[in-house]
Amino acid sequence: MKLSPKEQQVVASVSHEKRRTRQKKTLPNSVQKRSTMQAVSPTPKAPKVPVPSPELAKMRVAQLTEGARKTFRQFTEFVMTDNENRPLKLEEIHLSWIEFIFECLRLKIFPFVRAVPGHGKSKLCANALPLWLLGKFPNYRIGIISNTDPNAQKRIMVIKRYIEENERYHAVFPSVQPDYRYKWTDHMLYIKRNCIITDPSVIGYGVESSGTGSRMDVQILDDPVDMDNTIRQPSKKEMINGYRDWE
């Protein structure tokens, strides 16, 4: 009997399925099992990154806090942040500045750091260094002198906010606290001390402002000259006289 094309297609399909069934029965069980496992095996997962335990994390923070209390370099990287609130990362040039500054302080000579704008001089020398010195020597009197009063006050404002708000700074130097019985402004800060001292802990003014009567243990000149006060001779003379008053 002759089959129609559609019937022939159905018969061929049934025959093909029977042959596959016979071949499967003739294969060893181990081969069949391995083939089935390969077909359903899941995609391998990425290895899990180990998460440190809370105890280890606390130990690490304690180590960093202790290190920041001992050395200025560790303090800067642990406490200070950049303009996007990320931990400050010191590069080789900053480490060379730190080594140079502390060697000059050891020899009791005035260090001078010169670099193009945007390399972190003010952040390191006019913000981080006063904060660390106040923690180590709370009776220090630190002066920050810039080209103008507003620029000097910007440096003081940063120091003020770290003392008031920064948790890591409080962890490193918990004894550094504002003394609100005295002035606590954008150009003059008093912290709590263990003796009565007339002069503020930190003071900041423009180089042409009068500093008569101010006594300082550390004096930081942060960009004290600019195009304006170096080109005009009368202003330059006032700047020099003002600097003598600050001494």
Side-chain angles (χ1 to χ4, degrees):
M1 183 177 81
K2 190 174 181 180
L3 300 175
S4 66
K6 188 174 183 179
E7 291 174 335
Q8 291 177 6
Q9 187 178 359
V10 173
V11 172
S13 177
V14 171
S15 301
H16 178 69
E17 188 63 30
K18 288 181 178 180
R19 284 196 300 271
R20 284 186 58 186
T21 303
R22 285 198 299 269
Q23 290 175 358
K24 189 175 180 181
K25 288 181 178 180
T26 56
L27 291 173
N29 291 336
S30 60
V31 175
Q32 293 182 30
K33 186 175 181 180
R34 185 166 62 250
S35 177
T36 304
M37 290 177 62
Q38 290 175 353
V40 298
S41 60
T43 305
K45 296 181 180 179
K48 292 183 178 180
V49 178
V51 178
S53 65
E55 291 76 15
L56 288 176
K58 287 181 180 179
M59 288 177 59
R60 178 58 178 161
V61 171
Q63 291 173 352
L64 292 172
T65 303
E66 185 62 28
R69 199 173 289 124
K70 289 180 179 179
T71 71
F72 177 59
R73 172 184 176 177
Q74 293 182 75
F75 169 83
T76 303
E77 292 190 320
F78 181 65
V79 174
M80 305 303 293
T81 57
D82 62 15
N83 293 335
E84 297 182 3
N85 204 33
R86 298 174 301 190
L88 208 60
K89 176 62 178 174
L90 296 179
E91 303 295 342
E92 193 63 35
I93 186 172
H94 304 122
L95 299 179
S96 66
W97 293 349
I98 292 173
E99 182 179 0
F100 171 70
I101 290 170
F102 279 86
E103 180 63 15
C104 289
L105 294 177
R106 187 184 69 83
L107 297 174
K108 297 182 179 180
I109 58 178
F110 200 89
F112 177 75
V113 176
R114 184 179 181 182
V116 297
H119 277 62
K121 300 187 303 298
S122 297
K123 192 77 170 180
L124 189 70
C125 301
N127 293 154
L129 185 58
L131 284 165
W132 188 77
L133 289 174
L134 288 176
K136 299 289 288 185
F137 311 101
N139 292 337
Y140 263 20
R141 301 161 297 179
I142 301 173
I144 300 176
I145 305 167
S146 192
N147 59 334
T148 63
D149 280 354
N151 281 338
Q153 289 173 15
K154 289 178 184 177
R155 280 56 172 172
I156 302 298
M157 181 185 66
V158 172
I159 296 172
K160 178 182 176 183
R161 290 195 62 185
Y162 269 90
I163 295 175
E164 289 178 338
E165 303 172 10
N166 191 276
E167 293 181 359
R168 288 192 170 187
Y169 186 75
H170 293 162
V172 177
F173 296 120
S175 62
V176 177
Q177 299 291 333
D179 194 339
Y180 293 114
R181 296 173 299 175
Y182 304 97
K183 287 189 177 181
W184 187 258
T185 66
D186 287 342
H187 73 86
M188 187 181 300
L189 306 176
Y190 282 83
I191 66 169
K192 293 181 179 179
R193 294 154 157 170
N194 56 18
C195 60
I196 299 174
I197 301 176
T198 303
D199 294 291
S201 303
V202 187
I203 189 171
Y205 280 109
V207 71
E208 296 182 35
S209 300
S210 175
T212 303
S214 298
R215 298 291 180 266
M216 302 177 195
D217 301 294
V218 177
Q219 188 180 82
I220 300 171
L221 277 70
D222 183 36
D223 296 330
V225 297
D226 55 23
M227 187 68 70
D228 186 57
N229 65 23
T230 53
I231 289 178
R232 295 186 294 113
Q233 284 298 324
S235 181
K236 186 175 181 180
K237 185 177 180 180
E238 291 174 9
M239 178 193 70
I240 295 172
N241 291 335
Y243 172 66
R244 287 173 179 167
D245 283 341
W246 281 100
E247 294 182 314

